[in-house]
Amino acid sequence: MALKTIVDIAKIMYADPITSIALSSAGLTGTEVRSIIDDADTKNVVNVHGDTWSYEEEEGSTTPFKNQLSGATYYNDLQPGAVNVTFTIGQYDYDTKADLQGGTATQTSWQRAAVSKIIYKCIIAVTKDDTYIVFPKAQVTARGSMVESKLIGLAVTVTPVETGVAGLAPEILFDASVIV
């Protein structure tokens, strides 16, 4: 198996969450990812401001269960850490703001929703060394955020969640060679 270096960001796309996959023993396939990328409804993030892109997996935690009779640990409960991708979009249109933050967009305006709702998207991030990071269903949180004391960017956090689709993992990494 070849060693990987996964470096920086080259492209970010988003689409509706994946609700079904072909029944493959491998789960989501590169061909299915390519079909999402090629779909006319898949949107590209056209600007990531400065060095705001990050991928972070929090350290997990364990809770030891001790045998009161012997004092020895007999089981450890593992709670994995959350995965988050964050970036700030420096230039965006109102449709992108509505897609990722909610609210209502027109060609010339955006209105905040009276009641916030949870937004889910399929996120595909391509690194500079051609690794595809795919979150089939990610919760998206976005907000206006001042960047460098002048620009109101769209700060976005995406967190993969359970997909609700049998055999579909919440996060998949692909080499570019399989995205055919």
Side-chain angles (χ1 to χ4, degrees):
M1 184 174 287
L3 296 176
K4 292 287 304 170
T5 303
I6 302 174
V7 179
D8 213 347
I9 190 67
K11 189 172 193 174
I12 303 171
M13 297 158 273
Y14 65 91
D16 288 334
I18 297 173
T19 56
S20 66
I21 59 171
L23 295 175
S24 164
S25 62
L28 186 67
T29 66
T31 302
E32 289 167 319
V33 173
R34 172 52 60 193
S35 70
I36 294 166
I37 292 168
D38 292 342
D39 188 304
D41 291 333
T42 298
K43 297 183 180 175
N44 288 300
V45 172
V46 297
N47 174 290
V48 174
H49 179 81
D51 289 327
T52 59
W53 158 265
S54 74
Y55 174 103
E56 184 66 36
E57 183 171 357
E58 297 170 351
E59 186 174 342
S61 64
T62 59
T63 303
F65 290 88
K66 299 218 181 242
N67 178 339
Q68 190 173 6
L69 299 175
S70 68
T73 298
Y74 66 92
Y75 178 78
N76 280 305
D77 186 32
L78 174 64
Q79 182 68 36
V83 172
N84 289 300
V85 163
T86 60
F87 54 94
T88 298
I89 304 173
Q91 290 179 306
Y92 51 89
D93 58 21
Y94 292 129
D95 285 335
T96 300
K97 187 170 177 71
D99 286 347
L100 301 176
Q101 187 176 354
T104 306
T106 70
Q107 196 70 11
T108 58
S109 69
W110 173 80
Q111 291 184 4
R112 184 176 305 276
V115 177
S116 296
K117 66 177 187 171
I118 297 173
I119 297 172
Y120 296 106
K121 297 290 181 191
C122 169
I123 303 295
I124 301 171
V126 185
T127 65
K128 286 188 175 178
D129 58 345
D130 292 327
T131 298
Y132 285 67
I133 302 168
V134 180
F135 298 161
K137 182 180 180 183
Q139 184 172 340
V140 179
T141 306
R143 61 183 175 80
S145 178
M146 292 298 285
V147 181
E148 297 175 22
S149 300
K150 296 180 184 193
L151 170 76
I152 301 174
L154 185 61
V156 180
T157 300
V158 294
T159 305
V161 298
E162 286 185 342
T163 64
V165 178
L168 182 57
E171 177 182 9
I172 306 118
L173 302 182
F174 290 98
D175 288 346
S177 63
V178 300
I179 309 295
V180 292

